[in-house]
Amino acid sequence: QVQLVESGGGLVQAGGSLRLSCVASGSISSMHAMGWYRQAPGKQRELVAAITSGGSTNYADSVKGRFTISRDNAKNTVTLQMNSLKPEDTAVYYCNADGGVYGHYWYEGDYWGQGTQVTVSS
């Protein structure tokens, strides 16, 4: 079973940056898609960004141009660089492993981290 541990969350001012990291206990090389999801109070969980083993990416429209997802299979890590943060980005962010893509539909995998809180103040 793959264990995922997120880090890097915190409290920042609007316009600031954070870098979230997800470290897997096992190899992610066999995982097709790795992703970051977030859930704000009273909101549904949503895909923020995902990346396949081949490097294809998918971003929520609300974060495109501001966030960048990357993965390093050798280090078993997935990173989300978050720039120009807005109060609307406030949420718990979760790392997800072993998702997939079917056509243009990206679906979540079976493995989840515990989540890390990101709070952006105005």
Side-chain angles (χ1 to χ4, degrees):
Q1 185 175 355
V2 176
Q3 302 294 132
L4 305 173
V5 179
E6 304 104 326
S7 62
L11 173 64
V12 297
Q13 293 287 107
S17 298
L18 285 173
R19 181 164 57 249
L20 305 183
S21 295
C22 172
V23 181
S25 62
S27 175
I28 66 169
S29 62
S30 63
M31 305 292 182
H32 180 59
M34 303 292 296
W36 287 94
Y37 291 74
R38 68 185 181 188
Q39 187 166 26
K43 302 287 187 178
Q44 291 184 293
R45 184 177 64 210
E46 65 172 341
L47 173 68
V48 178
I51 183 168
T52 70
S53 59
S56 296
T57 58
N58 186 36
Y59 295 94
D61 289 341
S62 60
V63 308
K64 193 169 186 178
R66 299 187 296 121
F67 292 7
T68 302
I69 188 171
S70 61
R71 66 189 285 173
D72 188 334
N73 290 340
K75 296 181 179 179
N76 295 322
T77 60
V78 182
T79 300
L80 184 68
Q81 178 65 47
M82 309 164 67
N83 298 325
S84 301
L85 284 162
K86 304 174 180 179
E88 300 80 63
D89 296 317
T90 296
V92 177
Y93 285 69
Y94 299 92
C95 182
N96 177 254
D98 204 20
V101 182
Y102 184 79
H104 296 290
Y105 178 73
W106 292 62
Y107 59 90
E108 63 194 34
D110 294 331
Y111 304 101
W112 294 94
Q114 80 287 347
T116 185
Q117 177 71 47
V118 171
T119 302
V120 184
S121 63
S122 60

